[in-house]
Amino acid sequence: MSASTVTRLVIVGGGTAGWMAAAFLSSLFPARQLTLTVVESAEIGTVGVGEATIPPIQVFNKAVGIDEAEFLRATEGTYKLGIEFVDWLRPGHRYMHPFGQPGQAINGASFHAWWLRLKAAGYPHPLSDFWMSEVLARKNRFDFPSSDPRTPKSTLSYAYHFDAGLYGQFLRRIAESRSVRRIEATVGSVALDGADGTVSHLELTDGRRVEGDFFIDCTGFRGLLIGHALGREYEDWSHYLPANRAVAVPSERVAPPVPYTTATARAAGWQWRINLRHRTGNGYVYVSDLISDDEAAAMLLANLDAPAVGDPRFLRFTTGRRRQSRHKNVLAVGLSSGFLEPLESTSIHFIQHALIKFAATFPLAKDDPVSTGIYNRIMGEELEQVRDFLIFHYHANQRVGEPLWDRVRAMPIPDSLVEKMDLFRARGFAIFPNQTLFQEPNWLAVMLGQGIEPQAYDPLADTAPLEEIRSGFDAMRRTVHQVADSCRPHEAFLGAAPAATRSRA
Ligand SMILES: Cc1cc2nc3c(=O)[nH]c(=O)nc-3n(C[C@H](O)[C@H](O)[C@H](O)COP(=O)(O)OP(=O)(O)OC[C@H]3O[C@@H](n4cnc5c(N)ncnc54)[C@H](O)[C@@H]3O)c2cc1C
């Protein structure tokens, strides 16, 4: 007998969040312990964007039992080694936030502390020259991380670009093969138990009803259960992250696809470009009081590197989070729980994180306030950390004279972020309290990229003679480039048949 009285779980919504939930939970719980039902509406579509991910997705896919090559073929996927930020600091400037790390710690000091010391002595080579993921990405090559610490490949890390709609379908096949029941119907209303305020069942518009012990709300921005039925408030963060619209359009494939996402700053927001196998995903995230929808679409179409495929699609959102994304017998996952703009590709990650934390705090009964409390705390802290990271990208800009960029440079920022910037500026320190998803290498890449110059370095990096360090760095730089040159081109690695190519406009 299970320790939990929750044996019937209903997932409402069949977007990326709904099918990730079904695939993950069905891989953890046998059907005799937990029955899983997905209700998805044919009338209400999915958000239909979301193509870039971050490395922890590998953990999720492994947990679900996914074969990587099969998954990449099924989703038109490519590899991703980082994000290139173009014009964010100022027009004409570019930097990369690569995954992995630049070298290993030496004598207890971070690799970048030694580099800061060399730089202070006039060393000309940027840190990016030692960052294997970035060197590989810029050469449009790819390889897997190595477990041998003697090769720079041991510092690699990677994620994927893919078609999120195809990923949902792929996960659906897995979930259905594990006895997940699918009901195609629209939920008309959500019935509450008058005694304890939990959700008792769903009323479908075709007259059927679906009962359950616990419900996962994956209804997207609607938040049908968590918001409409249970009244959990939405905390608006648009004073920190003012973008509230996006317009997206795919374009024809340009060959060869690069293994990184590009995020280019624009007057009223920024534009993404994501190379998949069969096409390129593009979108412009913008602030609606600075540019009209028509102007935003025109700006996007004018900045494609190949002809558009189809018409631009508009999306509206409010950056923020549900104050409690778990309440009574409902867990909100995906867009129903909140949304941070896709600058660091974190939404799909938050779906996975929510599911992993939910499994770790699985309710013992329909209404389990102890597990619910700890779950909400864990998720809240993680979201705030990532929010700070995104705010930083905007805030630390030198695009003087442009209304959006002047506004975000001058805005008050959370104290937690002020502290991080002070620590980094004072001594290149990027290990912060409560650091979870984004760690030292992530902050380091973006802090340096956004022009924060450390005024000192860790004194532990004074523990070896300068000349010794210089020759060690020179040798390492040569090795990183040689190893990168020996890796296969990204496209060859994918095994993708080269499609008809177009020259860049
Ligand atoms: C502009 C933009 C760019 C993005 N880019 C990225 C990215 O690069 N990387 C990333 O990780 N994430 C990205 N995301 C986020 C990503 O798209 C979403 O996190 C992800 O697709 C999850 O969506 P969802 O499943 O929560 O909601 P949706 O896709 O909206 O799905 C909602 C589901 O609920 C169902 N539903 C709704 N109401 C009912 C009802 N009454 N009855 C029955 N069913 C119902 C719908 O039919 C649908 O199946 C982006 C989001 C936006 C807006």
Side-chain angles (χ1 to χ4, degrees), residues 12-18 39-41 44-53 185-187 218-222 224 246 272 274 315 317 333-336 339 342 345-349 351:
V12 189
T16 316
V39 182
E40 70 173 315
S41 167
I44 305 170
T46 61
V47 72
V49 282
E51 296 159 328
T53 59
T186 302
V187 177
C218 297
T219 60
F221 288 128
R222 283 169 195 80
L224 193 65
W272 79 74
I274 297 170
L315 298 123
F317 55 84
V333 176
L335 299 171
S336 61
F339 182 61
S345 322
T346 43
S347 284
I348 291 174
H349 172 76
I351 297 173

Side-chain angles (χ1 to χ4, degrees), residues 2 52 54 60 73 93 104 165 236 298 343 386 398 409 433 442 463 497:
S2 163
I54 50 178
F60 179 84
R73 273 194 305 275
H93 179 268
Q104 312 278 7
D236 184 339
L343 190 54
V386 174
Q398 296 170 13
R409 203 173 49 254
N442 311 102
T463 52

Side-chain angles (χ1 to χ4, degrees), residues 114-300:
W114 297 95
W115 172 78
L116 283 172
R117 178 178 168 208
L118 281 176
K119 184 169 176 270
Y123 194 64
H125 303 295
L127 188 64
S128 54
D129 256 6
F130 303 88
W131 208 312
M132 186 71 198
S133 297
E134 174 158 357
V135 173
L136 210 49
R138 296 233 180 256
K139 292 177 188 278
N140 199 1
R141 292 175 181 273
F142 183 79
D143 205 351
F144 292 123
S146 164
S147 55
D148 180 353
R150 290 166 303 178
T151 159
K153 285 188 197 171
S154 61
T155 63
L156 284 173
S157 182
Y158 70 93
Y160 315 105
H161 301 126
F162 55 67
D163 181 321
L166 295 177
Y167 185 50
Q169 289 169 26
F170 183 75
L171 294 172
R172 175 181 156 189
R173 288 195 289 279
I174 293 176
E176 288 188 314
S177 74
R178 291 177 184 156
S179 312
V180 172
R181 181 172 155 236
R182 174 176 174 271
I183 300 176
E184 192 176 300
T186 302
V187 177
S189 62
V190 178
L192 300 186
D193 183 323
D196 60 10
T198 58
V199 171
S200 64
H201 64 273
L202 310 171
E203 308 263 2
L204 307 184
T205 53
D206 61 13
R208 285 179 290 172
R209 62 193 264 171
V210 180
E211 294 183 348
D213 302 319
F214 202 94
F215 295 81
I216 302 193
D217 184 344
C218 297
T219 60
F221 288 128
R222 283 169 195 80
L224 193 65
L225 286 82
I226 197 77
H228 289 277
L230 296 186
R232 294 305 95 194
E233 277 172 37
Y234 196 82
E235 188 177 320
D236 184 339
W237 283 344
S238 47
H239 51 291
Y240 288 137
L241 294 163
N244 57 356
R245 303 246 171 119
V247 53
V249 73
S251 58
E252 288 178 12
R253 178 186 191 271
V254 278
V258 295
Y260 56 88
T261 302
T262 304
T264 304
R266 303 257 179 249
W270 62 277
Q271 179 175 337
W272 79 74
R273 187 170 64 220
I274 297 170
N275 285 180
L276 304 183
R277 292 186 190 205
H278 62 321
R279 61 167 170 77
T280 299
N282 309 278
Y284 184 13
V285 175
Y286 57 98
V287 182
S288 64
D289 62 4
L290 293 175
I291 191 171
S292 71
D293 290 348
D294 287 348
E295 287 168 328
M299 172 70 85
L300 176 65

Side-chain angles (χ1 to χ4, degrees), residues 413-466:
I413 56 172
D415 291 345
S416 47
L417 178 54
V418 174
E419 188 188 17
K420 290 179 179 96
M421 290 171 66
D422 287 348
L423 267 169
F424 190 74
R425 196 174 282 115
R427 51 182 295 161
F429 199 83
I431 299 174
F432 306 126
N434 301 326
Q435 215 161 25
T436 46
L437 178 60
F438 292 116
Q439 306 269 338
E440 184 186 51
N442 311 102
W443 280 96
L444 173 66
V446 180
M447 291 258 193
L448 288 175
Q450 293 289 148
I452 309 274
E453 296 268 345
Q455 286 156 10
Y457 55 81
D458 184 344
L460 280 174
D462 271 331
T463 52
L466 191 65

